[in-house]
Amino acid sequence: MQPRIWVYSIALTFSWLTSPVLAGEPVNFPYILAQNNTKAQPIAVNKVEFGVLRVDKGGKVTLIPTNKVPLLEGTVYGWRVQLRDYQGEVTWREVFQLPQRPETWGTTNTDNFSLSTDGTAAETKRTDLTKDGVITNSWTIAAGDPMGKHIIEVYIDDRRIAAFEFEVVPVRQQRPVSAPRI
């Protein structure tokens, strides 16, 4: 009888750890991140954000929260995760699932990038040195990218710390400005 209770509680714990992270809500993970140095740090997620990135004339990047990304070539979108009280090296992995295969996949770091056999998903692995606990990644809309539901999952040590569901949508047509009547 007791083993069933134990298995049941493990199933609940596993189910909780794989639920999506909601932006703005702190989530604590009671595991330790193995690092190259001898000092391991606990990982806690303070905040997660997803949106479209805008760069002002001074070069400042602003993330505008949204779950709708316009299908406009050159639009940059991405995510940001704030780890609580974390400094140093952190290795993360991103799994990006598209509704269908794009015409092309583009990346500058092919050593840490792989595609699924059907070409609808990509995996990126990266190690960042962070002083403020922030890890980020972004993508740019290119010709031939599909519309529809997209999913990005972010992992540290094979544990999902964030999940973002968003939709790439057609650009709304602007109504032409009519000339004033004289």
Side-chain angles (χ1 to χ4, degrees):
M1 187 71 153
Q2 199 157 359
R4 285 188 181 163
I5 294 170
W6 182 76
V7 171
Y8 182 70
S9 65
I10 292 294
L12 284 176
T13 302
F14 181 75
S15 175
W16 174 79
L17 288 175
T18 60
S19 65
V21 175
L22 299 176
E25 293 295 320
V27 178
N28 291 310
F29 290 96
Y31 62 92
I32 303 296
L33 175 66
Q35 294 185 5
N36 294 337
N37 62 23
T38 57
K39 182 183 173 192
Q41 298 179 56
I43 297 293
V45 176
N46 232 14
K47 186 176 184 180
V48 298
E49 298 174 290
F50 176 85
V52 174
L53 291 111
R54 300 274 190 242
V55 181
D56 68 15
K57 293 178 184 179
K60 181 182 175 192
V61 177
T62 303
L63 187 139
I64 301 165
T66 183
N67 62 356
K68 305 275 187 207
V69 175
L71 184 62
L72 179 63
E73 208 170 326
T75 299
V76 179
Y77 58 95
W79 55 266
R80 178 170 45 205
V81 174
Q82 170 73 56
L83 304 174
R84 183 181 308 138
D85 301 324
Y86 191 91
Q87 291 186 12
E89 240 181 38
V90 61
T91 300
W92 55 266
R93 177 174 59 97
E94 173 195 81
V95 178
F96 188 7
Q97 179 69 50
L98 279 65
Q100 63 189 37
R101 181 185 190 120
E103 284 183 21
T104 61
W105 280 97
T107 182
T108 57
N109 187 351
T110 57
D111 291 341
N112 297 309
F113 180 81
S114 59
L115 288 176
S116 64
T117 53
D118 67 358
T120 62
E123 182 178 89
T124 303
K125 294 179 185 177
R126 195 161 76 203
T127 299
D128 290 329
L129 181 59
T130 178
K131 293 179 183 176
D132 57 4
V134 176
I135 57 175
T136 65
N137 199 31
S138 62
W139 293 88
T140 304
I141 295 288
D145 282 356
M147 286 191 297
K149 182 180 169 184
H150 293 55
I151 300 171
I152 294 177
E153 296 176 309
V154 182
Y155 295 84
I156 294 177
D157 282 349
D158 293 324
R159 302 220 176 155
R160 186 170 73 178
I161 62 165
F164 307 99
E165 289 188 24
F166 61 98
E167 191 172 357
V168 174
V169 296
V171 178
R172 284 195 263 176
Q173 295 292 326
Q174 298 292 330
R175 283 194 264 172
V177 178
S178 57
R181 294 179 187 234
I182 303 181

